[in-house]
Amino acid sequence: MARTKRKAAKPPKRPARAEVERAVRTLIQWTGDDPDREGLLETPARVVRAYEQWFAGYAQDPNELLERTFEEVAGYDEMVVLRDVRFVSHCEHHMAPVIGRAHVGYLPRHRVIGISKLARLVQLYARRLQIQERMTAQIADNLHRVLRPAGVAVVVEGTHGCMTTRGVNQAQATMVTSRMLGVFRDHPETRQEFLSAIDLRGGLRSGTGSC
Ligand SMILES: [Zn+2]
């Protein structure tokens, strides 16, 4: 069933819930199991509800989320670091879970932001189909655009289900990606201060992550 139609410019209309449940039923059949077996009867509905949580990020707007920034920095000119923000994402190549943590830092210039917003910004981009490199860049770029700080640093560590549970079966492998902007990019000592603050095991290496 090769489709030759060109992709529409706008995202296609979302299918009805019943249609998605039928698709899950088809997947169950594809595994070789019986979707009418008692234990599986409610599974399509449950899967759809789980998808609503895993992909809730599409309904959220980063501009709205970051709207209320707190103007006064009250002379505070040191780095702000939030580390170990746990996230669950899904890789866009296999729709397999990517589980990890993000570390976000910035050096304020005019504005600071509520710390919970940083965590919610991570979740907003995690709850979409992603590649880890893009998610890392999106978190950093949006923070930089809204806060206009002296710099932004984001490091993301992720364990990719498509790599740990199938394929090369590398259960322990973690991918590390980073994006450094402003002073974190230009000043090695500022970057090092951030990396020390997040205490990254094994140092920083960049991911080359196709999965
Ligand atoms: Zn994958």
Side-chain angles (χ1 to χ4, degrees):
M1 37 182 258
R3 300 187 65 177
T4 49
K5 267 192 192 166
R6 298 186 77 184
K7 221 167 71 179
K10 271 201 211 161
K13 207 174 130 242
R14 296 178 79 192
R17 176 176 289 259
E19 192 182 331
V20 184
E21 290 184 11
R22 279 197 299 278
V24 176
R25 196 183 147 85
T26 303
L27 279 174
I28 293 170
Q29 285 171 317
W30 173 250
T31 67
D33 214 317
D34 172 13
D36 292 318
R37 181 163 70 73
E38 200 186 345
L40 290 173
L41 279 177
E42 295 301 316
T43 297
R46 279 192 293 259
V47 170
V48 172
R49 286 198 296 274
Y51 264 52
E52 284 178 323
Q53 293 181 15
W54 287 333
F55 300 108
Y58 288 106
Q60 296 169 332
D61 178 355
N63 294 323
E64 251 169 61
L65 174 65
L66 296 173
E67 207 164 54
R68 253 192 83 223
T69 53
F70 303 97
E71 291 288 332
E72 329 108 68
V73 292
Y76 187 84
D77 59 357
E78 299 293 331
M79 163 182 319
V80 177
V81 178
L82 183 63
R83 67 179 186 197
D84 289 329
V85 181
R86 304 279 161 166
F87 70 84
V88 175
S89 188
H90 286 78
C91 82
E92 69 183 27
H93 299 140
H94 301 90
M95 300 177 79
V98 178
I99 296 172
R101 47 195 195 146
H103 316 282
V104 182
Y106 67 98
L107 191 63
R109 191 156 45 189
H110 313 293
R111 304 163 163 177
V112 290
I113 192 167
I115 202 87
S116 67
K117 295 254 175 124
L118 292 179
R120 286 168 63 189
L121 187 67
V122 171
Q123 305 295 0
L124 183 153
Y125 286 113
R127 290 176 183 154
R128 297 178 178 196
L129 290 171
Q130 279 289 11
I131 62 170
Q132 190 176 314
E133 294 90 332
R134 184 178 59 220
M135 175 176 146
T136 307
Q138 285 173 328
I139 296 165
D141 293 351
N142 269 281
L143 208 53
H144 201 256
R145 183 175 52 80
V146 174
L147 285 186
R148 304 204 166 282
V152 170
V154 175
V155 169
V156 175
E157 302 172 75
T159 303
H160 291 240
C162 56
M163 193 176 169
T164 56
T165 65
R166 57 165 285 286
V168 290
N169 275 308
Q170 287 295 316
Q172 302 300 319
T174 302
M175 185 163 127
V176 182
T177 47
S178 69
R179 186 153 177 100
M180 303 285 163
L181 301 171
V183 289
F184 293 93
R185 173 179 289 233
D186 300 336
H187 300 146
E189 63 276 16
T190 310
R191 181 166 60 246
Q192 194 50 49
E193 194 185 333
F194 170 73
L195 294 175
S196 302
I198 67 171
D199 193 22
L200 194 67
R201 288 186 312 276
L204 182 64
R205 44 191 200 285
S206 50
T208 52
S210 57
C211 53

